[in-house]
Amino acid sequence: MKILVTGGAGFIGSCFVRLALQNASTEIVNIDKLTYAGNLENLASLADNPRYRFQKADLCDLDGLRQIFEETKPDAVVHFAAESHVDRSILSPQPVFETNLRGTFNLLESMRAKAVGRFIHVSTDEVYGSLDAPLEADENFPLQPSSPYSASKAGSDLLALGYFKTYKMPVMVTRASNNYGPYQFPEKLIPLMISNALEDKPLPVYGDGMQVRDWLYVEDHCRALLAILEKGRDGEIYNIGGNRSVANRWVIEQILAITGKPASLMTTVTDRPGHDRRYALSSAKLSKETGWSPQMDFERGLKMTVDWYRTHDQWVRDVKSGEYQSYYARNYDHRASELNQVRT
Ligand code: NAD
Ligand code: TYD
C-alpha cells in the first residue's frame, strides 16, 4: 500500500512514517512544507529506505498538490500537517487559518475524483472544548472549541466529513488527546518542561497549573491510526485517548523528580487566554471496532521521554536555534519578568 502522509516531518507524522514502514509492503510519500516544526532530522533513520520518499510541498498550493496526486496515485492519505500549537495560534492566528482550513480544503479538493482508498484527517480532542468532571466526550459530543487552533481543527473536521457525505469520499476523522514522546518540538508542555529543567531554566506554569490533560504516548497514537486505516469505517469519527488524565502541575513535578531538579524551578506565569480547564474523552468506539488500547504506562513513557531529550541535546539545540528564541520571547515575556532570564 502506498500512503501519502502530510506533515510527516513533524512530531506525530514522523513517528507514523517510521512505524508504518516497519510493514515491508508499505510505501510512504511524505509531503511537508518544513515550517519551524518540520525537521528532516526526525526521519534521518530512513535516509536509505527505498520505500520512503520526501517531497517539499505547501498545502496552500492547490496546483502543486494536484500535481502530486497525479504523480503519486496513493492508495491512502494520512493528513497530519497543521499549525499545531495553541499559544502560537493565539499570537498569530493567520497561518493557522491558512494551513488548517485552506490547506485541508486544498487536500480534499485535490483528492476529489481521484481513487484514493482511505483518507484520515488527524484531529484533536480540543474540538470538544473544556469539559467539567466527570464528563467524557464521545464522538457525538458537541463541538465547543476555544482557541483559533481548536476552532480551525473543528472546522476542518466538518469540512472533511462534508466531503464524505457529499462526494462519497472515504474520509475518517480521528480525535486524539495530548501526545508526548521523542521528537516533540519544545514549545508544548512536556518537552518544554523537560528541556528547561535539563538546562536549569524556569518552568512556566500557566495560572494555577490544575488544568487537566489526558496523555497519550505518540506511538500508541500512531498504532491507533494504522488500526483505523485497516479496520475503520468511512464517514466515522474515532476518539483516541491515553486513558491517563492528570493535572499539569503533577506532570511538571514528575519531570522535576525524574531530572533531579528543584521545585523552585516552577514559576507561575499569567494564564493563557481562553485556557481550557479539562479535556477528557472516551475511546470505547475505537477499542470495540479495532481492538486497540494504549500500551504505554505514563510514568514509564515520561521517563523514556526524559531520557530521549537528555541524550538528544544536539537535536534540542538545533530546534531551539532560529525563530524559537523570538517565539519564546513573544509568548513568555508578557507572562512573567522572571522568565527573561530564559532568553539566551
Ligand atoms: P507538528 O507541529 O509537530 O508538525 C506539523 C507538521 O506539519 C510540520 O512538519 C510542518 O512542517 C507541517 N506543515 C505545517 N504547515 C504546512 C503546510 N502548509 N503544508 C505542508 N506541511 C505543513 O504537529 P504534531 O504535533 O505532529 O501534530 C500533527 C497533527 O496531529 C496535527 O494535525 C495536530 O492538530 C494533530 N494532533 C496533535 C496532538 C498533539 O498533542 N501534538 C494531539 C492531537 C492531534
Ligand atoms: P500544550 O502542550 O500547549 O497543549 P494543549 O494546550 O494543546 O493542551 O499545553 C498543555 C497544558 O500545559 C495546557 O493546559 C497549557 C499548559 N502549559 C503551561 O502551563 N505552560 C507552558 O509553558 C505550556 C506550553 C503549556
Side-chain angles (χ1 to χ4, degrees):
M1 168 155 65
K2 188 192 275 184
I3 308 174
L4 187 136
V5 167
T6 76
F11 163 51
I12 306 172
S14 63
C15 178
F16 179 85
V17 171
R18 291 189 303 270
L19 199 67
L21 284 169
Q22 288 178 12
N23 180 334
S25 58
T26 297
E27 245 182 90
I28 301 259
V29 178
N30 171 20
I31 61 168
D32 196 300
K33 180 182 174 182
L34 300 180
T35 66
Y36 76 93
N39 185 352
L40 291 179
E41 272 304 305
N42 301 357
L43 296 159
S45 61
L46 303 175
D48 299 325
N49 191 320
R51 292 180 287 113
Y52 169 72
R53 182 166 74 79
F54 172 74
Q55 183 166 346
K56 189 168 178 189
D58 184 346
L59 293 190
C60 294
D61 171 10
L62 179 56
D63 290 340
L65 273 183
R66 285 197 162 121
Q67 174 121 22
I68 288 169
F69 274 91
E70 213 48 67
E71 289 163 6
T72 309
K73 299 186 174 48
D75 304 304
V77 176
V78 185
H79 174 36
F80 296 94
E83 288 292 335
S84 69
H85 188 37
V86 173
D87 291 322
R88 284 187 190 251
S89 85
I90 294 169
L91 293 169
S92 311
Q94 182 157 357
V96 177
F97 169 81
E98 294 296 342
T99 289
N100 301 7
L101 284 161
R102 186 186 299 284
T104 302
F105 165 76
N106 285 349
L107 194 59
L108 289 162
E109 272 300 287
S110 341
M111 277 188 303
R112 196 144 70 86
K114 292 275 175 304
V116 172
R118 314 226 87 177
F119 173 72
I120 298 187
H121 175 65
V122 178
S123 189
T124 165
D125 63 352
E126 301 193 22
V127 298
Y128 299 122
S130 194
L131 276 72
D132 289 335
L135 270 181
E136 277 190 345
D138 67 10
E139 288 79 357
N140 298 316
F141 203 82
L143 301 182
Q144 291 175 319
S146 305
S147 68
Y149 165 68
S150 52
S152 73
K153 294 300 287 190
S156 53
D157 288 11
L158 296 180
L159 191 62
L161 291 168
Y163 272 64
F164 166 73
K165 286 194 184 132
T166 307
Y167 303 114
K168 311 286 175 252
M169 279 174 48
V171 168
M172 293 178 285
V173 170
T174 60
R175 295 181 177 147
S177 61
N178 284 63
N179 282 221
Y180 72 103
Y183 297 102
Q184 187 168 27
F185 195 84
E187 62 187 357
K188 307 260 172 44
L189 180 76
I190 288 184
L192 177 76
M193 298 297 157
I194 294 174
S195 65
N196 279 13
L198 292 174
E199 294 170 32
D200 296 305
K201 290 178 175 168
L203 310 191
V205 183
Y206 294 172
D208 65 2
M210 295 310 289
Q211 303 84 5
V212 170
R213 297 293 184 267
D214 172 13
W215 291 100
L216 172 66
Y217 193 63
V218 63
E219 259 184 51
D220 278 333
H221 183 183
C222 295
R223 281 193 310 101
L225 295 172
L226 287 169
I228 290 164
L229 207 49
E230 191 189 341
K231 297 179 185 159
R233 289 178 295 130
D234 291 346
E236 294 294 320
I237 301 166
Y238 294 95
N239 287 346
I240 312 173
N243 206 12
R244 191 62 195 267
S245 292
V246 284
N248 294 338
R249 192 168 272 279
W250 183 84
V251 173
I252 297 167
E253 283 164 3
Q254 299 304 302
I255 291 171
L256 287 169
I258 298 169
T259 52
K261 301 293 178 173
S264 57
L265 281 183
M266 268 208 249
T267 309
T268 298
V269 299
T270 309
D271 209 349
R272 172 190 280 173
H275 196 171
D276 285 333
R277 196 74 187 156
R278 175 177 173 271
Y279 298 138
L281 82 179
S282 159
S283 336
K285 175 177 170 181
L286 173 64
S287 301
K288 186 162 170 257
E289 292 191 20
T290 69
W292 175 90
S293 63
Q295 300 296 304
M296 182 60 80
D297 164 76
F298 184 62
E299 279 79 353
R300 191 162 77 87
L302 197 57
K303 280 201 188 87
M304 285 168 54
T305 305
V306 170
D307 277 350
W308 188 89
Y309 280 87
R310 219 196 283 274
T311 52
H312 289 74
D313 50 331
Q314 187 58 48
W315 183 93
V316 175
R317 268 198 298 281
D318 289 347
V319 300
K320 280 191 169 181
S321 64
E323 65 84 60
Y324 183 85
Q325 300 299 328
S326 64
Y327 158 70
Y328 203 98
R330 277 176 78 204
N331 191 44
Y332 291 101
D333 274 8
H334 72 280
R335 295 204 144 101
S337 56
E338 296 93 315
L339 290 171
N340 283 334
Q341 60 185 285
V342 171
R343 274 193 290 162
T344 51

